[in-house]
Amino acid sequence: MLRIANLRHQSMVEAEFRIMFMRNEPTLEDESYRHFYALKLAFDRLIVFPAALTLRHTIDEQSPLYGATPESLEACRAIFVVSVVGVETVIPAAVQTQQDYTWRDVRFGERFVDIYTELEQGRLTVDYGRLHDTEPVS
C-alpha cells in the first residue's frame, strides 16, 4: 500500500484526487524515456472533504510500483504529483492544488500515525501537528 500524503482542507466539496507517477525507463536504443502512470487510488472522489484524509494506492502486480525499492526509485528519478480539484464552499468557486514528491520523500516500512482522537459522545478531533508524522510498520 502506498500512502502518498495526508491532506487537509476544511471547506471543499466534490473533491477529485489524482496521483501521477513518473519515472525514467530504458528504451531499445539504450536511452531513457520519461513514462507517466496514473496510479489507481482506493477512492478518487469524495462528496465532502473530511477534516483530513490519506490517499492510498495498492501495490500489486498491476501497479507500476510493483517491486520498487528505494534504490530503483532513485535510479529512475521517480516523481509523484498529487492533484486535488474541488469546489471551495466559502467563495463558491472551483479550486485546484498540486504537490510534487520525489523518490526522496518515499518512506519504505513506515506509515502515517493516527491523527484522530475520539472525544465524548463519539465526536472526533484532529491533531494537525501530526499530519506528516510517520511510524515504523511492524
Side-chain angles (χ1 to χ4, degrees):
M1 181 78 65
L2 172 70
R3 292 177 65 176
I4 289 291
N6 277 330
L7 303 172
R8 173 186 177 201
H9 197 286
Q10 294 181 337
S11 60
M12 187 185 296
V13 296
E14 297 298 332
E16 294 182 22
F17 312 98
R18 292 187 183 97
I19 300 177
M20 181 70 61
F21 169 56
M22 297 170 271
R23 69 178 172 203
N24 292 341
E25 295 181 4
T27 64
L28 294 175
E29 294 81 19
D30 201 28
E31 299 174 15
S32 69
Y33 180 77
R34 196 77 168 156
H35 284 258
F36 300 83
Y37 299 91
L39 295 184
K40 183 178 178 186
L41 301 176
F43 58 89
D44 60 5
R45 298 178 68 103
L46 285 178
I47 295 170
V48 177
F49 201 99
L53 79 116
T54 302
L55 299 180
R56 297 172 187 252
H57 165 72
T58 300
I59 300 174
D60 57 17
E61 292 81 12
Q62 285 70 48
S63 170
L65 295 168
Y66 185 72
T69 64
E71 297 78 18
S72 69
L73 292 180
E74 179 180 4
C76 71
R77 299 174 36 99
I79 295 176
F80 301 85
V81 179
V82 179
S83 171
V84 179
V85 178
V87 176
E88 170 63 61
T89 60
V90 174
I91 57 169
V95 294
Q96 188 269 342
T97 187
Q98 176 178 307
Q99 179 68 45
D100 298 355
Y101 300 91
T102 70
W103 57 270
R104 291 179 186 94
D105 299 310
V106 178
R107 298 184 181 195
F108 284 77
E110 294 184 30
R111 66 177 174 214
F112 286 110
V113 299
D114 190 9
I115 59 174
Y116 288 97
T117 302
E118 188 168 349
L119 303 174
E120 65 277 349
Q121 300 165 348
R123 293 181 34 229
L124 294 176
T125 185
V126 179
D127 183 353
Y128 291 113
R130 300 184 68 194
L131 193 64
H132 301 291
D133 293 351
T134 62
E135 63 188 5
V137 175
S138 57

